[in-house]
């Protein structure tokens, strides 16, 4: 269908339909089954989706409805199946799949499916005393003698037919012989063994019918029946309605009347193709439904994500009469479809002649736009980023400039500067939420966000570890306490985090995923395409680093508890504990709020809250960790300021002693 065009531009304009041009490479995969009604309904949907709605179309071929739940489900390759018979799967399995949203039903197609046993109508005048269209007659010797002796050897050879799978033979029947010799039962011709759900086999066994079953494939069965029909010879076969073969031969064959169907009877079906079960009634009428992958539907079945496509699919109906007279009958020429275009031609003619059946269903009255963050929230984040970033830089500069003063040195000035550096890196991640999404932006968000927060937590852990070494360590030598001013172990932890993150991003780069979101349905359908970087659980590296950060916070709180008896005059302990509590509180409060906003499709709010968390962390920590010392240093009387470290009495005395020793 790549080059085929059904709708002229004039026809589309007349229907107020303008195919979308903003979808780019958006492709919908339709599952295609090998029988005519399924192919016709699939092509019907494909033409509208491609030419009226602007999607790219791809067909995924399958042999039937068995396994459709897997193929249409979340991990499958197909998106849409227009004709699913509820008998193709165990009813309970189908119900569970629908309830668990492994597949999503978008309504019935408009016609039902029914299996049955058929015999030629032309046999009635020849044998007026033999009621061949009632199931009870299948036990009569004269009916068996009418069908069983048929010699089909030459016919099978001429058509080059071969049986598909093992035939079914009840214990009281002889194995069917194509020559007719020795046959004691009527052989029922059927399509494929995988289409059998055990109902006919169980019916034969329970009713003691003189029937066997052989399988000839889809095309083989049609050829077999057509050849016998042309020769006006007896044949009994199992077939499904609707079908292109029977559509043009409605008067040529009669369906055998079976005991009335009941739900109680159907419930006795064990699906045993060996006849082990209690099924003994007519075949059930199968409702045919249209199903789509949950990837195309939102969490609410009634909401539309691919809004125009699903709106059309929900409204798509083909009644049985239309299917028979306008779609199937033009196909039925000798039981075979000569060319692929034979399917497209009648569908296209129907769509052109009955535009009201599809044009009003899609309407195409929708606005499709790229998602953008709310302008006001974006401006707030930009301003907040600028202010906090400036404060980080100023605070770091002050600490570095006065790093030799006791007021800053006793608070490990170098570690403090590194904390501020980590905050600054994390702030870069907050800014990525307000700009268009790309793979580079996603990668930057992952690395900066996790490395910024991770490094800050690691260095804060080093500060509390430093206090623990000073106040609880039994070491008495300088070499034993040198770790208190070094960050070698912290560097190892940071390096490990960086390796995990870089490896994770290299193996699984920042995702650039499209998500189509329904904004409103009235008066026009408004859709927006959100591009995002995947979810938290899409990245094993983020998960690993998050667990490590959480472990560091717990370890730091444990060390803080050990230092509970440290004199209150040593204020850094309280500052570090407040900082850790801030980390926990910010993420404990904002993370669930951001996740809830995302689930409610409030993406601007979700992004704003995430960016707010990344900005609040450094802002609150600067107030708790750094502001008190800066205030003390700049706003106390100059005489009360602590002297530089190298000018304190203790250090001066130590230097004097060392110089005296060198002189002696």
């Amino acid at each position: 269908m790549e080059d085929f065009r059904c709708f002229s531009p004039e026809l589309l304009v007349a229907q107020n339909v303008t195919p979308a041009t903003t979808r780019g490479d958006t492709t919908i995969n339709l599952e295609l089954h090998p029988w005519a009604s399924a192919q016709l309904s699939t092509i019907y949907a494909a033409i509208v989706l491609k030419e009226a709605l602007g999607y790219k179309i791809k067909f995924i071929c399958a042999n039937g409805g068995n396994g459709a739940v897997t193929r249409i489900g979340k991990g499958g390759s197909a998106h849409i199946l227009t004709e699913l018979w509820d008998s193709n799967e165990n009813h309970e399995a189908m119900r569970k799949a629908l309830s668990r949203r492994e597949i999503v039903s978008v309504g019935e197609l408009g016609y039902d499916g029914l299996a049955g046993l058929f015999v030629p109508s032309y046999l009635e005048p020849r044998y007026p005393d033999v009621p061949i269209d009632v199931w009870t007659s299948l036990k009569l010797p004269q009916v068996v003698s009418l069908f069983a002796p048929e010699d089909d050897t030459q016919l099978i050879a001429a058509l080059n037919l071969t049986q598909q799978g093992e035939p079914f033979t009840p214990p009281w029947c002889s194995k069917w012989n194509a020559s007719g010799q020795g046959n004691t039962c009527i052989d029922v011709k059927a399509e494929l063994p995988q289409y059998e759900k055990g109902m006919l086999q169980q019916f034969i066994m329970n009713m003691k019918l003189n029937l066997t079953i052989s399988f000839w494939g889809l095309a083989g069965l049609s050829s077999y029946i057509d050849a016998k029909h042309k020769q006006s010879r007896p044949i009994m076969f199992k077939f499904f309605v609707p079908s292109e073969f029977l559509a043009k031969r409605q008067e040529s064959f009669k369906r055998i009347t079976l005991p009335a169907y009941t739900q109680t009877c159907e419930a006795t079906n064990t699906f045993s193709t060996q006849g082990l079960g209690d099924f003994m009634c007519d075949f059930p009428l199968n409702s045919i439904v249209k199903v789509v992958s949950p990837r195309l539907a939102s969490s609410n079945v009634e909401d539309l994500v691919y809004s125009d496509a699903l709106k059309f699919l929900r409204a798509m109906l083909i009644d049985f009469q239309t299917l028979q007279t306008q779609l199937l009958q033009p196909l039925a020429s000798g039981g075979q479809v000569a060319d692929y275009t034979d399917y497209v031609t009648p569908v296209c003619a129907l769509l052109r002649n009955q535009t009201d059946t599809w044009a009003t269903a899609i309407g195409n009255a929708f606005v499709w736009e790229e998602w953008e963050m709310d302008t006001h929230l974006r401006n707030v984040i930009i301003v907040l980023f600028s202010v906090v970033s400036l404060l980080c830089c100023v605070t770091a500069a002050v600490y570095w400039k006065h790093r030799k003063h006791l007021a800053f040195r006793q608070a490990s000035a170098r570690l403090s500067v590194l904390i501020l550096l980590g905050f600054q890196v994390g702030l870069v991640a907050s800014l990525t939420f307000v700009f268009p999404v790309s793979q580079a932006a996603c990668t930057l968000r992952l690395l900066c966000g996790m490395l910024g927060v991770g490094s800050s937590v690691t260095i804060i852990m080093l500060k509390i570890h430093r206090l623990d070494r000073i106040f609880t360590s039994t070491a008495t030598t300088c070499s034993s306490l040198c770790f208190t001013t070094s960050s070698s172990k912290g560097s190892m932890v940071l390096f490990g985090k960086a390796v995990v993150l870089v490896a994770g991003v290299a193996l699984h780069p920042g995702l650039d995923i499209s998500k189509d979101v329904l904004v409103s349905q009235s008066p026009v359908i408004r859709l927006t395409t959100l591009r995002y970087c995947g979810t938290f659980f899409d990245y094993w590296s983020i998960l690993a680093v998050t667990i490590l950060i959480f472990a560091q916070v717990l370890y730091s709180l444990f060390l803080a508890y050990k230092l509970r008896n440290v004199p209150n005059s040593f204020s850094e302990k309280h500052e570090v504990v407040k900082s850790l509590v801030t980390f926990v509180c910010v993420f404990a409060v904002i993370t669930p709020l951001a996740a809830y906003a995302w689930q409610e499709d409030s993406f601007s709010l979700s992004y704003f809250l995430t960016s707010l968390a990344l900005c609040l962390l450094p802002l609150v920590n600067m107030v708790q960790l750094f502001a008190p010392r800066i205030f003390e240093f700049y706003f106390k009387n100059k005489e009360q300021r602590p002297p530089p470290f190298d000018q304190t009495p203790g250090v001066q005395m130590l230097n004097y002693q060392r110089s005296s020793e060198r002189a002696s």
Side-chain angles (χ1 to χ4, degrees), residues 478-509:
C478 179
S479 59
S480 300
L481 293 173
C482 275
F483 174 69
T484 62
T485 58
S486 73
S487 57
S488 57
K489 293 187 177 180
S491 299
M492 293 174 60
V493 174
L494 279 176
F495 180 74
K497 289 180 183 177
V499 169
V500 171
L501 283 172
V502 172
V505 170
L507 295 173
H508 193 175

Side-chain angles (χ1 to χ4, degrees), residues 110-419:
Y111 55 84
D112 297 318
L114 181 65
L117 298 180
F118 295 86
V119 291
S121 302
Y122 53 72
L123 294 179
E124 286 186 308
R126 299 183 196 175
Y127 307 95
D129 298 329
V130 180
I132 58 175
D133 61 343
V134 180
W135 73 273
T136 52
S137 65
L138 302 180
K139 296 184 177 184
L140 302 176
Q142 59 268 38
V143 174
V144 174
S145 63
L146 175 63
F147 292 89
E150 280 288 302
D151 184 359
D152 293 340
T153 307
Q154 294 182 356
L155 182 147
I156 292 172
L159 296 175
N160 194 28
L161 299 177
T162 56
Q163 291 195 50
Q164 308 290 316
E166 288 296 319
F168 172 77
T169 305
W172 54 86
C173 293
S174 61
K175 187 175 181 180
W176 177 73
N177 186 348
S179 67
Q181 296 181 5
N183 289 340
T184 59
C185 293
I186 305 170
D187 188 59
V188 177
K189 316 302 179 190
E191 290 180 322
L192 292 168
Q194 55 263 40
Y195 291 173
E196 294 297 316
K197 297 303 172 186
M199 288 180 279
L200 180 56
Q201 289 87 340
Q202 293 172 55
F203 185 77
I204 291 172
M205 294 291 287
N206 293 326
M207 297 302 189
K208 302 293 188 219
L209 299 181
N210 299 313
L211 300 178
T212 60
I213 309 173
S214 58
F215 303 97
W216 302 91
L218 277 71
L221 178 61
S222 297
S223 300
Y224 204 137
I225 300 168
D226 193 53
K228 299 278 279 189
H229 175 259
K230 288 178 178 178
Q231 299 174 16
S232 299
R233 293 171 56 190
I235 184 172
M236 184 178 297
F237 59 94
K238 180 188 176 186
F239 224 80
F240 293 89
V241 176
S243 73
E244 77 279 13
F245 184 82
L246 291 177
K248 200 169 184 177
R249 298 167 175 81
Q250 297 181 64
E251 306 301 324
S252 300
F253 298 98
K254 297 190 67 174
R255 189 175 186 275
I256 295 177
T257 303
L258 301 177
Y261 162 82
T262 64
Q263 291 184 344
T264 303
C265 172
E266 185 183 4
T268 62
N269 181 22
T270 61
F271 294 87
S272 168
T273 55
Q274 302 302 313
L276 304 176
D278 297 326
F279 186 88
M280 54 180 71
C281 62
D282 202 348
F283 297 96
L285 188 67
N286 295 290
S287 174
I288 296 178
V289 296
K290 302 159 291 185
V291 296
V292 301
S293 167
R295 289 167 290 169
L296 298 189
S298 67
S299 58
N300 185 341
V301 177
E302 297 304 319
D303 288 343
L304 309 177
V305 179
Y306 282 74
S307 180
D308 52 345
L310 290 188
K311 182 180 178 183
F312 159 69
L313 288 170
R314 290 179 189 279
M316 175 181 164
L317 291 173
I318 305 174
D319 62 75
F320 184 78
Q321 186 64 24
T322 299
L323 178 70
Q324 287 280 96
T325 59
Q326 299 190 49
L327 297 179
L328 288 173
Q329 287 184 7
L331 294 177
S333 176
Q336 298 294 323
V337 175
D339 189 85
Y340 183 79
T341 57
D342 288 355
Y343 288 105
V344 177
T345 302
V347 173
C348 186
L350 176 64
L351 289 170
R352 287 172 178 167
N353 295 331
Q354 298 184 7
T355 55
D356 60 308
T357 61
W358 56 270
T360 56
I362 61 169
N364 217 23
F366 65 92
V367 178
W368 195 292
E369 56 196 19
E370 287 289 330
W371 178 86
E372 291 184 355
M373 189 175 185
D374 180 81
T375 304
H376 299 295
L377 295 179
R378 181 196 292 116
N379 293 338
V380 171
I381 290 300
I382 292 174
V383 171
L384 193 59
F385 165 81
S386 302
V387 171
V388 178
S389 182
L390 179 62
L391 288 174
C392 270
C393 294
V394 171
T395 304
V398 169
Y399 262 70
W400 186 255
K401 180 181 178 181
H402 302 292
R403 62 189 180 277
K404 292 186 178 181
H405 279 271
L406 187 61
F408 297 102
R409 191 179 181 96
Q410 69 183 7
S412 51
R414 289 181 175 81
L415 291 181
S416 297
V417 171
L418 289 176
I419 291 174

Side-chain angles (χ1 to χ4, degrees), residues 19-154:
T21 58
T22 58
R23 288 195 177 84
D25 294 327
T26 303
T27 301
I28 291 183
N29 299 335
L30 292 98
E31 181 160 305
L32 190 66
H33 290 175
W35 57 86
S37 61
Q39 294 188 351
L40 289 166
S41 63
T42 304
I43 291 172
Y44 184 105
I47 290 176
V48 176
L49 291 171
K50 177 176 179 287
E51 299 188 27
L53 297 176
Y55 290 96
K56 289 188 175 181
I57 296 300
K58 182 180 179 181
F59 294 112
I60 306 294
C61 296
N63 289 327
N66 293 336
V69 170
T70 301
R71 295 190 299 271
I72 304 292
K74 293 181 180 179
S77 57
H79 299 135
I80 297 171
L81 175 58
T82 58
E83 185 179 304
L84 178 64
W85 293 43
D86 60 10
S87 65
N88 283 334
E89 303 275 0
N90 180 280
H91 288 285
E92 187 62 27
M94 285 285 289
R95 282 194 292 271
K96 287 181 179 179
L98 289 169
S99 65
R100 292 195 297 257
R101 287 184 55 78
E102 294 173 7
I103 56 176
V104 178
S105 172
V106 289
E108 296 185 356
L109 183 55
Y111 55 84
D112 297 318
L114 181 65
L117 298 180
F118 295 86
V119 291
S121 302
Y122 53 72
L123 294 179
E124 286 186 308
R126 299 183 196 175
Y127 307 95
D129 298 329
V130 180
I132 58 175
D133 61 343
V134 180
W135 73 273
T136 52
S137 65
L138 302 180
K139 296 184 177 184
L140 302 176
Q142 59 268 38
V143 174
V144 174
S145 63
L146 175 63
F147 292 89
E150 280 288 302
D151 184 359
D152 293 340
T153 307
Q154 294 182 356

